[in-house]
Amino acid sequence: MLTPIAPSTPSTTTAFRPPTVADGGELWRIATDSKTLDVNTSYAYLLWARDYARTSILAEVDGSPAGFVTGYVRPDAPHTLMIWQVAVDDAYRGQRIALRMLQALTDQVGDVTTMETTITDDNAASIGLFTRFAQERGASISRHDLFESAHFPDDHDAERLYRIGPLR
Ligand SMILES: CC(C)(COP(=O)(O)OP(=O)(O)OC[C@H]1O[C@@H](n2cnc3c(N)ncnc32)[C@H](O)[C@@H]1OP(=O)(O)O)[C@@H](O)C(=O)NCCC(=O)NCCS
């Protein structure tokens, strides 16, 4: 009789798919746990999962939510994908899950030539992520002023606009 041989290291499966309304609460939890993102109301994440699922993505590790990207196609620039928030649970960072989410999302959305996002100057992880994404796509990345701290009604650092393209 053959005895199954257990793998020497546990293997995990990472899968990517658009979020559903049932995932909205997990998006809110991951954003809250990140301690870095501006956390929006739980309602906003449910609404996003309902209306912007095609331009958003959820990463699951062995069936459990581990990260997400929310985005939208800019109404006045139909080939530009604006990335609103990216987060990966602390336990899963450093495994290229965020990078793979951006790649899978770009493929999922399809007809986009430019990616945009905004980042505060102190967020080295986010700047590194989008710079690596641009490199992997053979695209250039440029930084522009967009939302100055004076634009915000509360205490908020300036958000620089990063533009990546052309995406192939
Ligand atoms: C930013 C974040 C999403 C990265 O998630 P991640 O899955 O660990 O990132 P990846 O493993 O896909 O990293 C891809 C690239 O990003 C860069 N990067 C990731 N983390 C970094 C860090 N802490 N410092 C500098 N660069 C970093 C690296 O260039 C990396 O490429 P490499 O693997 O060749 O070194 C994660 O740190 C996070 O959730 N942070 C809190 C929320 C946040 O700040 N979101 C971004 C603003 S919307």
Side-chain angles (χ1 to χ4, degrees):
M1 190 178 131
L2 290 174
T3 307
I5 301 169
S8 54
T9 53
S11 61
T12 58
T13 304
T14 306
F16 304 94
R17 63 171 174 82
T20 67
V21 168
D23 300 313
E26 279 296 297
L27 269 52
W28 177 84
R29 181 201 54 81
I30 293 168
T32 304
D33 287 352
S34 80
K35 309 247 186 334
T36 303
L37 295 181
D38 288 344
V39 181
N40 300 274
T41 63
S42 54
Y43 179 86
Y45 293 92
L46 268 63
L47 196 66
W48 210 267
R50 174 182 187 252
D51 286 337
Y52 295 94
R54 189 180 73 85
T55 53
S56 301
I57 202 158
L58 177 75
E60 291 178 306
V61 175
D62 291 339
S64 297
F68 75 85
V69 178
T70 47
Y72 61 90
V73 172
R74 294 191 63 212
D76 295 335
H79 300 292
T80 297
L81 176 62
M82 174 71 189
I83 301 298
W84 178 34
Q85 290 191 318
V86 186
V88 172
D89 267 337
D90 209 22
Y92 300 110
R93 289 185 192 166
Q95 300 176 32
R96 297 201 134 187
I97 289 178
L99 184 65
R100 285 184 282 157
M101 285 196 294
L102 290 179
Q103 290 167 336
L105 179 58
T106 304
D107 295 339
Q108 175 179 297
V109 176
D111 194 18
V112 288
T113 55
T114 305
M115 178 181 284
E116 288 185 353
T117 196
T118 71
I119 310 176
T120 53
D121 288 342
D122 62 353
N123 196 335
S126 190
I127 294 168
L129 168 64
F130 284 93
T131 302
R132 173 71 72 223
F133 173 78
Q135 279 174 352
E136 300 247 333
R137 285 267 164 175
S140 60
I141 182 167
S142 55
R143 194 185 80 152
H144 313 266
D145 290 338
L146 183 63
F147 302 137
E148 300 301 330
S149 54
H151 287 129
F152 290 95
D154 52 357
D155 184 20
H156 197 299
D157 290 339
E159 292 270 353
R160 315 286 179 205
L161 175 69
Y162 286 75
R163 188 175 282 138
I164 299 167
L167 299 175
R168 294 176 196 90

